[in-house]
Amino acid sequence: MRSRQRLVALGLVLAAALAQQPAEAIVVERIVAVVGDDPILLSDLRARAKPSLLQVQQRVRPGAEQAAAESQVFKDTLEVMIDQRLEAQAAERAGITVTPDEVENAFRNIANAQGLTTAEMFREAKARLGLTEQEYRDEIRRQILEGKMLQLRVKGRVRITEDDVKAMYERTLREERKRRDYRAAWIVLQIMPGSSPEAIAERKKLAAELVTRARAGEDFAALARAYSDEANTRDAGGDLGIRAPAGSPQAQQGQRPALAPDFENAVMPLDPGQVSDVIQVEKGLVIMKLVSRQPSRYTTYEAAKGEMVQRLQTEILEKAKRKWLDELKKRTHLDVRL
């Protein structure tokens, strides 16, 4: 009922403006989406997208690329606003509210965690994100409301076993490995164009022998100096220096070089000191050794267990949220006009 009244009120305001102003002077507020009976206005969308737009403007050069990035920001922000409007409507039906005290307590906790006063926190939000104090309060209120609705949705249904926690720990370690710098070395055995099958077989035999010798404990660097055909690294014992996984921020930002995919795929599963199988490439055979890897921040399973439980809870809540919102969308009239 409240939503329908809002639409009616908006229509009356526009009708009054039309009656009182010359046509050429009228600026009509654009509606970019309707959720149920609730409109989402372009001005609201622009206000909500402001922090993300500032980030785009800081990291993307002006032109077509920036325009495309800004367009995507508006689309993504509108999706979030639609979800939040659905949540707010569901909360209203369920009689769930957020009190001013709950918002104040949230701000105190956020400020204490950052070692700031609430006033300093508001100033930082303004400087860093372009958010006014009221916009920041509105955002925190939305987050608290969402948390309450999710707790109501999944209350009593979250079951986490020890096996679940261990699986999350292993998955986290695998994901973290994709971001950790490492040092690798190689031995390269060239196969000359036009080599006979016998010559190729001899090179493959030598490569297999070198793998066996290196895995048995023979000095990999000495083997590289004696056998590698790659002149740039042979004298350094095949040392390739410090590399970063191709998908890591270090590699994508140009802070560290990455290996070619075939070589990275061979190195990533290795632990320090381990040697790969022989890798056949277009011009020869390659043997990789992982010399070292940046230490994991997770020292033991027991030390990481609390964080893993939190990750699991967050994952379960996120899945429940997505399922719930999909159900709400099916039952609610949506009209997206962006």
Side-chain angles (χ1 to χ4, degrees):
M1 186 65 181
R2 178 189 60 81
S3 301
R4 192 169 285 105
Q5 289 173 343
R6 183 180 177 189
L7 276 176
V8 171
L10 181 62
L12 291 174
V13 169
L14 293 176
L18 288 167
Q20 297 171 13
Q21 309 251 357
E24 63 272 16
I26 296 171
V27 177
V28 178
E29 177 68 276
R30 181 182 169 193
I31 295 175
V32 292
V34 178
V35 185
D37 293 326
D38 280 350
I40 296 178
L41 306 180
L42 178 60
S43 57
D44 294 335
L45 175 60
R46 284 173 172 163
R48 289 290 301 281
K50 184 166 56 177
S52 297
L53 290 174
L54 287 174
Q55 292 177 9
V56 167
Q57 291 161 8
Q58 290 168 2
R59 72 172 190 268
V60 181
R61 283 183 292 183
E65 185 180 359
Q66 187 180 96
E70 290 175 349
S71 176
Q72 190 61 49
V73 165
F74 281 120
K75 290 178 182 178
D76 293 343
T77 303
L78 182 57
E79 280 294 317
V80 171
M81 293 179 72
I82 289 171
D83 287 349
Q84 291 174 340
R85 194 63 59 90
L86 288 166
E87 291 168 357
Q89 291 171 356
E92 184 176 6
R93 289 192 297 270
I96 304 296
T97 60
V98 176
T99 68
D101 285 344
E102 288 174 320
V103 175
E104 291 303 322
N105 287 335
F107 276 121
R108 280 194 291 270
N109 291 336
I110 296 169
N112 288 338
Q114 297 177 357
L116 303 172
T117 65
T118 52
E120 290 170 337
M121 182 182 63
F122 286 132
R123 284 197 294 271
E124 183 174 316
K126 177 66 174 177
R128 187 166 55 89
L129 301 174
L131 291 176
T132 66
E133 179 176 333
Q134 187 57 52
E135 288 170 340
Y136 199 2
R137 288 182 179 279
D138 290 341
E139 179 59 32
I140 294 302
R141 182 187 175 281
R142 282 189 289 267
Q143 292 180 19
I144 295 172
L145 185 65
E146 178 181 284
K148 284 187 172 187
M149 292 302 295
L150 285 176
Q151 288 295 334
L152 181 66
R153 176 78 178 171
V154 301
K155 185 178 180 180
R157 285 184 261 175
V158 177
R159 297 287 184 269
I160 297 175
T161 67
E162 188 72 15
D163 287 344
D164 293 333
V165 180
K166 288 180 179 177
M168 172 59 78
Y169 179 65
E170 294 299 324
R171 175 150 55 100
T172 300
L173 289 181
R174 288 195 299 271
E175 292 171 353
E176 187 206 33
R177 177 173 286 200
K178 297 175 184 177
R179 299 189 299 272
R180 289 156 58 194
D181 292 345
Y182 60 89
R183 192 178 201 101
W186 66 359
I187 297 171
V188 180
L189 302 181
Q190 290 183 348
I191 296 177
M192 300 303 294
S195 295
S196 67
E198 293 78 16
I200 294 173
E202 282 297 318
R203 297 302 273 171
K204 288 183 177 180
K205 181 180 178 182
L206 174 59
E209 290 174 354
L210 293 176
V211 169
T212 300
R213 290 166 64 179
R215 287 176 174 174
E218 199 165 335
D219 185 3
F220 190 90
L223 292 172
R225 282 190 285 269
Y227 294 99
S228 183
D229 296 319
E230 211 290 304
N232 292 328
T233 58
R234 182 174 55 231
D235 291 343
D239 186 9
L240 291 165
I242 298 177
R243 303 292 177 123
S248 68
Q250 307 95 289
Q252 292 181 341
Q253 295 169 12
Q255 298 170 351
R256 295 280 191 201
L259 288 175
D262 285 347
F263 304 140
E264 181 175 297
N265 291 339
V267 168
M268 289 305 290
L270 301 178
D271 290 324
Q274 289 185 329
V275 175
S276 74
D277 293 331
V278 178
I279 308 161
Q280 185 160 355
V281 294
E282 184 179 355
K283 296 182 179 180
L285 306 168
V286 177
I287 304 161
M288 304 293 302
K289 178 181 179 178
L290 179 64
V291 179
S292 63
R293 180 177 276 119
Q294 180 184 10
S296 170
R297 76 178 184 87
Y298 300 103
T299 53
T300 65
Y301 167 70
E302 290 301 326
K305 188 173 180 179
E307 180 181 332
M308 297 304 108
V309 171
Q310 288 183 343
R311 282 174 175 249
L312 275 169
Q313 290 173 336
T314 299
E315 193 173 85
I316 290 169
L317 287 174
E318 186 58 34
K319 287 180 180 177
K321 172 187 170 181
R322 194 69 263 157
K323 182 179 179 181
W324 173 51
L325 286 171
D326 288 344
E327 291 172 357
L328 288 177
K329 284 181 178 179
K330 290 177 183 177
R331 302 197 303 262
T332 306
H333 169 70
L334 291 179
D335 180 11
V336 179
R337 306 175 185 177
L338 185 63

